[in-house]
Amino acid sequence: MEASAKACPSALALDVGDTRLDYHGLLADVGAVGEELRSHGIGAGDRVGIRVPSGTADLYVAILAVLRVGAAYVPVDVDDPDERAELIWTELPKGPTVMMVGPFVLPAQSGSGGI
């Protein structure tokens, strides 16, 4: 993505709904969310629960930011009941370190996967 942003910074990189981002803008958004994740101590080997509406710029930025910091993401459909999200996240061997809900990064609840 960095190579594309350098070569064609104003080229369209993301077009979803009413959000259009060029490579420069996408890279900036991914970088900002990545820094937020790093501020929570997220890095290689961590898991990040993502519960963001499908087909939104927030979802794509969240996934790219998680991957950029070297972590893995655990997606849960935003329309699933809270109990389903809790089940998925608590069945992980380590559970997520943080969750991304909408555009927000939240610490996981200790002892559970959190919502």
Side-chain angles (χ1 to χ4, degrees):
M1 188 165 68
E2 285 85 2
S4 295
K6 186 175 182 176
C8 305
S10 61
L12 184 62
L14 183 65
D15 183 2
V16 290
D18 60 352
T19 302
R20 294 172 55 100
L21 291 173
D22 59 21
Y23 277 100
H24 177 76
L26 179 61
L27 196 57
D29 287 357
V30 168
V33 174
E35 287 305 313
E36 177 73 12
L37 289 169
R38 284 188 187 101
S39 77
H40 286 276
I42 302 302
D46 289 317
R47 294 178 181 96
V48 177
I50 295 182
R51 195 168 189 199
V52 179
S54 294
T56 63
D58 286 341
L59 176 63
Y60 299 117
V61 168
I63 290 170
L64 290 170
V66 168
L67 296 174
R68 187 168 188 192
V69 300
Y73 67 93
V74 181
V76 174
D77 194 302
V78 73
D79 294 324
D80 283 350
D82 289 346
E83 296 79 19
R84 172 82 174 136
E86 185 71 22
L87 175 68
I88 290 169
W89 288 333
T90 56
E91 286 188 350
L92 292 172
K94 186 179 167 190
T97 306
V98 298
M99 283 84 53
M100 298 183 75
V101 181
F104 305 105
V105 177
L106 308 169
Q109 299 171 355
S110 61
S112 74
I115 302 295

